[in-house]
Amino acid sequence: MKTRLLVAAAMPAALVRAVNNGLARTPQMGWNNWNTFACDVSEKLLLETSKLLVDYGLKDLGYQYVVLDDCWSVGRGEDGYLIPDTTKFPHGMDGVADELHKQGFLFGMYSSAGEMTCARYTGSLDYETQDAESFASWGVDYLKYDNCYHMGRMGTPLISFNRYNEMAKALKKTGRSILYSLCSWGEDYVHTWGGSIANSWRISGDIYDSFSRPDDLCACNDPANPACVAPGTHCSVLAIINKVAPYIDRGLPGAWNDLDMLEVGLGGMTEEEYKAHFAMWAALKSPLLLGNDLRVMDATTLSIVNNPAIIAISQDPKGRAAMRISRNLTVPKDEFGVGETQVWSGSLTNGDQVVIFFNAADEDLDMSASLAELFVMHGPGGSADEVKQDWTVRDLWGSEGARMSKADAQAVLDAKSDAERSSVLKRANWYNATEKPYAKGLEDGDERLFGERVGTVKAGGRLEARVARHAAKVFRLQSAGGKAGASKGSSLRDEL
């Protein structure tokens, strides 16, 4: 096993803050074991999963981080350094990192800014220097840093900032480039200071596999409310979206609002709910970390998480999240009294605009928005120049050039060899971001990133669509005179 030698190259003096460390210029993508496996972790699980990320074409879509969550240590030695569990990880953490690096992945690990981790293993509070040295010497590329058992060191933004900054400083001191991901659950207004020291920060309590069900364990919806005693652990997709809406603009290249890991494929939501969940996380520029068991993944799940037109929204080089421009609570409610619709809109590279009609009501609904509303961030009251243009509308879940067919997805899963899988992906003309980064594909107008053309909105007009219950329609609007994503043979209706 390697000794704790530090990376020799020092970081340039100009890289003062983590937000400027050159990492996460677009939201990080990868896989984390926690949502499915919790403490049932091992070297075998990580390496089996990394192989499947390659086999299924997910690595080449950008899922590059393999992140080990909690439960990996057996405590500290007399020297104060953490000791990995060699039963679970017989080749040590550096051995895991070496294997992942050989496959072209980046290796992520977990600790907590507390005396214990959330699963009550040894935490890093007051041992930041030793633990950062260990992570660097093991070849770690990503640290998820949690918030459990913090010994009361919270309650104001400055107290929490100082606690998390200790690890930020320790990581920088090692000289190794390590993406720093805070998991402080949105406490102490982390969105106001997280970008000063980290590449992402959690904005809520833990997600669970529900689209909109309210749960008392996710009570912290209003941080100014004195009755809000805990951020919680059972936060629905809808609860998290509503939590981040007022400050979604705080995310910028290198520093992102983290809406927590993806639940796609875990079984608690419908296909439409999972599609909406995935698309919203992409448009709101949350990190995209898969949480399902790839060894038993079905075709529906694969065809959701490998949609390059949706991923291109996440990885758009402009790095601006969509913003909520309207919210309607006067819609049919479900058995829990929950129901609403929302419209989100945001600027993309090449002058494009992403628009999402998000239907959390209890029935299918017709939804619409005027160009004046969709471009309100460019100028209120219809004053934006964009309102005076015609816009081509492309459906990012459309059948042509966007979502992989379930038959092709099943063929990828069933393939018996690397050559057979490669043949399926080649036949499907699937996108490979390793060969052509998203920024280049968008610049070239690669149709695989632009969905299916479905119509035009005339200057001063409205975008309209029927949206299924608990679903989202995701559109990419392009100036009708633009060249990006120009379609060949796509279906076209004169108006939506």
Side-chain angles (χ1 to χ4, degrees):
M1 186 178 295
K2 296 177 182 175
T3 60
R4 295 189 181 92
L5 294 175
L6 302 186
V7 177
M11 293 180 69
L15 301 185
V16 177
R17 299 183 185 277
V19 71
N20 292 323
N21 63 7
L23 302 174
R25 304 312 296 174
T26 56
Q28 61 265 35
M29 298 175 61
W31 177 87
N32 179 296
N33 66 270
W34 183 258
N35 283 356
T36 296
F37 298 97
C39 282
D40 187 17
V41 293
S42 66
E43 175 182 311
K44 181 174 182 288
L45 171 66
L46 296 185
L47 297 182
E48 285 180 350
T49 298
S50 67
K51 183 178 186 307
L52 293 177
L53 287 167
V54 173
D55 290 348
Y56 297 156
L58 294 170
K59 175 180 173 292
D60 284 332
L61 282 168
Y63 294 98
Q64 63 174 333
Y65 286 98
V66 176
V67 182
L68 167 65
D69 213 280
D70 207 343
C71 318
W72 54 265
S73 81
V74 293
R76 294 191 183 278
E78 293 182 359
D79 60 358
Y81 287 86
L82 287 167
I83 303 172
D85 185 335
T86 54
T87 301
K88 296 177 179 179
F89 302 94
H91 295 96
M93 293 307 170
D94 48 352
V96 174
D98 286 347
E99 287 302 313
L100 291 174
H101 291 158
K102 287 177 186 176
Q103 297 177 48
F105 288 102
L106 297 167
F107 179 39
M109 289 191 68
Y110 166 100
S111 190
S112 180
E115 62 176 336
M116 293 187 292
T117 70
C118 293
R120 301 189 182 186
Y121 286 71
T122 303
S124 293
L125 188 63
D126 297 330
Y127 287 87
E128 292 86 359
T129 297
Q130 294 97 318
D131 293 355
E133 289 177 0
S134 293
F135 298 143
S137 71
W138 293 337
V140 171
D141 307 293
Y142 183 120
L143 177 65
K144 174 184 173 182
Y145 204 44
D146 219 330
N147 195 31
C148 287
Y149 303 102
H150 48 53
M151 300 178 72
R153 299 185 203 177
M154 55 80 65
T156 72
L158 183 58
I159 293 172
S160 285
F161 171 85
N162 286 337
R163 177 162 53 96
Y164 279 97
N165 194 32
E166 288 302 311
M167 180 58 79
K169 292 187 294 184
L171 292 173
K172 292 173 192 175
K173 187 177 179 181
T174 69
R176 183 174 180 82
S177 293
I178 298 177
L179 190 154
Y180 188 33
S181 177
L182 307 186
C183 186
S184 64
W185 318 326
E187 282 186 351
D188 289 341
Y189 301 93
V190 63
H191 61 278
T192 66
W193 52 264
S196 297
I197 59 173
N199 297 108
S200 62
W201 52 89
R202 277 275 301 282
I203 58 88
S204 73
D206 291 354
I207 192 173
Y208 83 140
D209 193 16
S210 172
F211 185 75
S212 59
R213 182 185 181 277
D215 194 303
D216 283 345
L217 287 177
C218 185
C220 197
N221 291 317
D222 178 5
N225 182 352
C228 178
V229 296
T233 57
H234 280 194
C235 296
S236 70
V237 167
L238 179 61
I240 291 172
I241 290 170
N242 285 337
K243 176 73 180 298
V244 76
Y247 50 85
I248 191 62
D249 61 337
R250 295 304 178 100
L252 293 168
W256 307 105
N257 289 298
D258 182 355
L259 280 59
D260 205 1
M261 297 168 287
L262 293 164
E263 299 282 341
V264 183
L266 271 67
M269 293 187 242
T270 68
E271 179 178 348
E272 289 299 327
E273 288 171 340
Y274 280 137
K275 286 167 59 182
H277 168 31
F278 186 66
M280 290 300 296
W281 262 230
L284 273 56
K285 298 296 190 288
S286 174
L288 299 179
L289 292 175
L290 304 173
N292 60 309
D293 185 350
L294 270 64
R295 301 171 303 180
V296 294
M297 181 164 56
D298 61 23
T300 296
T301 299
L302 179 59
S303 70
I304 292 173
V305 302
N306 75 353
N307 183 335
I310 297 292
I311 297 173
I313 299 297
S314 162
Q315 300 298 297
D316 188 88
K318 189 169 186 176
R320 300 299 298 180
M323 299 183 190
R324 190 167 67 192
I325 60 170
S326 69
R327 183 185 186 193
N328 182 6
L329 300 177
T330 60
V331 296
K333 311 294 185 185
D334 62 19
E335 60 185 305
F336 302 108
V338 175
E340 61 184 270
T341 61
Q342 304 179 11
V343 178
W344 292 73
S345 184
S347 298
L348 300 170
T349 194
N350 298 336
D352 292 357
Q353 191 83 356
V354 61
V355 176
I356 301 181
F357 290 164
F358 181 78
N359 181 9
D362 200 33
E363 65 180 44
D364 300 357
L365 293 173
D366 293 318
M367 296 182 64
S368 71
S370 67
L371 290 181
E373 293 174 284
L374 296 178
F375 290 99
V376 67
M377 299 300 178
H378 298 242
S383 62
D385 289 340
E386 289 82 357
V387 178
K388 304 173 182 65
Q389 302 176 23
D390 295 349
W391 291 88
T392 299
V393 182
R394 306 182 73 98
D395 183 350
L396 301 191
W397 288 113
S399 60
E400 298 183 31
R403 188 181 184 186
M404 177 180 280
S405 73
K406 292 179 186 177
D408 282 340
Q410 191 62 56
V412 170
L413 297 171
D414 291 342
K416 304 301 182 185
S417 67
D418 293 344
E420 186 178 347
R421 286 193 182 91
S422 295
S423 177
V424 174
L425 292 170
K426 184 176 180 180
R427 183 182 72 241
N429 191 29
W430 216 241
Y431 198 79
N432 186 322
T434 302
E435 295 178 353
K436 182 190 284 190
Y438 289 103
K440 178 62 174 172
L442 292 167
E443 181 182 350
D444 291 348
D446 191 309
E447 290 192 16
R448 294 171 292 182
L449 303 183
F450 291 88
E452 177 184 3
R453 186 176 175 181
V454 294
T456 303
V457 175
K458 297 294 186 181
R462 298 182 70 84
L463 178 64
E464 301 177 348
R466 183 74 171 176
V467 187
R469 173 190 180 273
H470 286 195
K473 294 290 287 186
V474 187
F475 300 109
R476 188 179 190 116
L477 273 58
Q478 297 178 308
S479 177
K483 69 179 182 66
S487 84
K488 292 181 284 187
S490 295
S491 62
L492 173 64
R493 292 184 284 115
D494 290 337
E495 300 289 340
L496 284 182

